[in-house]
Amino acid sequence: MVGREKELKIRFAPGRCELVEEDVDIPSRRALITGATGLLGRAVFKEFNENNWNAVGCGYRRAQPRFEQINLLDSVAVHDIIHDFQPHVIVHCAAERRPDVVENQPEAASQLNVAASGNLAKEAAGVGAFLIYISTDYVFDGTSPPYKETDIPNPLNLYGKTKLEGEKVVLENNEGAAVLRIPILYGEVERLEESAVTVMFDKVQFSNKSANMDHWQQRFPTNVKDVASVCRQLAEKRMLDPSIRGTFHWSGNEQMTKYEMACAIADAFNLPSSHLRPITDCPVVGALRPRNAQLDCSKLEMLGIGQRTPFRAGIKESLWPFLIDKRWRQTVFH
């Protein structure tokens, strides 16, 4: 499962250092990750890289020096990296995933979520790569949960519509591809604003000021590490079984409103939560959201695929570096 390549390394010895050439093992299974600079993409890259895959990540604005800088709207650049690397698997994490941004920039969002995805599917088919297209629970209207893969989508907002269109063009251009629908994500963020879950941490910590929290929309917060593991498991099962294709769902199984998530975050860090105020009215600002788009994950579970991190454990691990009052550290971890 591995090949051999030469790599230059610096070797230090008393009084001198020298440049030497050494053999290194290169895993023979190759995975290309788009959107590798994002919250999910970083986790997917790490999961493949740490499990005997030769993983290459690509991004755009934040790509270098760690990842390949690729504009997914540049069809020539996409063609070149796929044909040069010859991946066995492509996990397509790159997307405009912020519903309110999609509403305000519909053309740019459609280019990335639909057009680029369709082109990537064609190129993947051209080299026989298994494409996993990351989609969303927002393809459903939230009126009849839980949703199976066979249920008819009815997105309420433009984000959900562009992701559904992306699903269609991917499967039209690559019949062997997979669509993986997932819900709201959290994980090891680089900044709190990277996730709609972690962004609440400041409101939780600043308990001297009351904060309104949505207590209407039912969500299922899901750790990106779990989604990454599911992607790898799906890819490895596909390499053994070509019938693994089509649409799949994965989600955490703890149902929470944002108010309940915020209270759970406060509890995880032994912080007060009395300043958090639940708002039970349907939000009237921004893109429409489904009330409850719970995903039925039994299809993947029947394949023996899955991983779930308990929310309190996962959120504590994710938010620990952003804890402002360091006095709480002893009560949380000792």
Side-chain angles (χ1 to χ4, degrees):
M1 296 295 290
V2 296
R4 308 284 286 178
E5 284 192 4
K6 298 290 186 181
E7 185 176 89
L8 290 175
K9 291 188 176 182
I10 297 175
R11 179 180 293 164
F12 294 96
R16 71 179 195 281
C17 66
E18 55 188 0
L19 200 60
V20 296
E21 196 174 57
E22 292 184 357
D23 286 331
V24 292
D25 292 336
I26 304 295
S28 60
R29 300 181 300 181
R30 296 179 296 279
L32 180 66
I33 318 300
T34 75
T37 57
L39 175 61
L40 177 60
R42 294 194 304 270
V44 173
F45 175 83
K46 184 178 180 181
E47 175 72 18
F48 277 84
N49 197 48
E50 292 181 353
N51 285 278
N52 201 32
W53 284 77
N54 178 11
V56 167
C58 61
Y60 189 44
R61 291 183 182 86
R62 296 179 291 160
Q64 295 178 333
R66 188 180 182 193
F67 301 119
E68 299 292 322
Q69 186 173 37
I70 301 291
N71 181 355
L72 293 179
L73 304 182
D74 183 342
S75 58
V76 174
V78 171
H79 173 88
D80 288 347
I81 191 170
I82 289 176
H83 281 258
D84 288 347
F85 185 52
Q86 293 285 317
H88 297 97
V89 175
I90 301 173
V91 185
H92 183 29
C93 301
E96 179 47 75
R97 57 177 180 76
R98 297 164 295 179
D100 295 332
V101 173
V102 175
E103 298 286 339
N104 293 324
Q105 301 175 20
E107 182 57 34
S110 180
Q111 283 293 307
L112 181 57
N113 292 356
V114 184
S117 301
N119 180 59
L120 197 65
K122 285 182 187 175
E123 294 292 350
V127 298
F130 176 47
L131 175 66
I132 301 175
Y133 169 79
I134 302 296
S135 191
T136 174
D137 57 345
Y138 274 27
V139 300
F140 297 111
D141 60 19
T143 59
S144 302
Y147 291 95
K148 291 181 176 291
E149 291 84 352
T150 51
D151 288 329
I152 298 173
N154 182 35
L156 297 179
N157 57 42
L158 192 56
Y159 166 64
K161 290 174 183 175
T162 62
K163 291 302 287 184
L164 182 59
E165 284 301 307
E167 290 183 12
K168 291 176 179 177
V169 296
V170 163
L171 296 175
E172 285 170 2
N173 289 315
N174 188 332
E175 62 181 18
V179 168
L180 180 62
R181 294 175 180 148
I182 55 175
I184 188 170
L185 300 176
Y186 73 95
E188 294 181 10
V189 293
E190 292 181 344
R191 60 191 190 284
L192 292 176
E193 297 77 16
E194 224 177 356
S195 159
V197 179
T198 59
V199 74
M200 295 187 288
F201 197 32
D202 280 346
K203 287 185 178 180
V204 171
Q205 293 193 84
F206 294 114
S207 56
N208 60 332
K209 183 179 180 182
S210 65
N212 293 342
M213 310 299 294
D214 175 59
H215 195 42
W216 176 83
Q217 189 181 17
Q218 304 297 316
R219 311 301 298 271
F220 293 81
T222 302
N223 195 312
V224 290
K225 288 183 179 179
D226 297 341
V227 177
S229 178
V230 165
C231 288
R232 179 184 58 79
Q233 292 174 56
L234 193 59
E236 291 177 352
K237 190 151 296 254
R238 165 57 182 261
M239 292 187 76
L240 301 173
D241 181 0
S243 71
I244 301 293
R245 61 185 186 179
T247 304
F248 300 91
H249 291 170
W250 191 253
S251 170
N253 57 4
E254 296 172 80
Q255 180 172 327
M256 296 175 160
T257 63
K258 284 194 173 179
Y259 168 73
E260 289 168 329
M261 288 183 223
C263 289
I265 291 170
D267 182 62
F269 288 97
N270 295 325
L271 295 170
S273 60
S274 57
H275 65 293
L276 303 173
R277 297 175 54 201
I279 304 299
T280 56
D281 297 332
C282 173
V284 294
V285 177
L288 289 173
R289 265 78 164 172
R291 175 76 185 271
N292 184 351
Q294 180 183 6
L295 299 173
D296 182 316
C297 305
S298 56
K299 184 177 176 182
L300 278 177
E301 290 168 344
M302 291 279 286
L303 291 170
I305 292 174
Q307 175 178 300
R308 287 190 175 99
T309 301
F311 181 72
R312 280 168 175 78
I315 202 66
K316 187 185 290 186
E317 181 182 49
S318 303
L319 290 177
W320 168 246
F322 300 91
L323 188 61
I324 294 170
D325 189 346
K326 304 303 188 290
R327 291 173 300 174
W328 288 104
R329 295 193 174 190
Q330 291 183 345
T331 63
V332 173
F333 285 98
H334 298 287

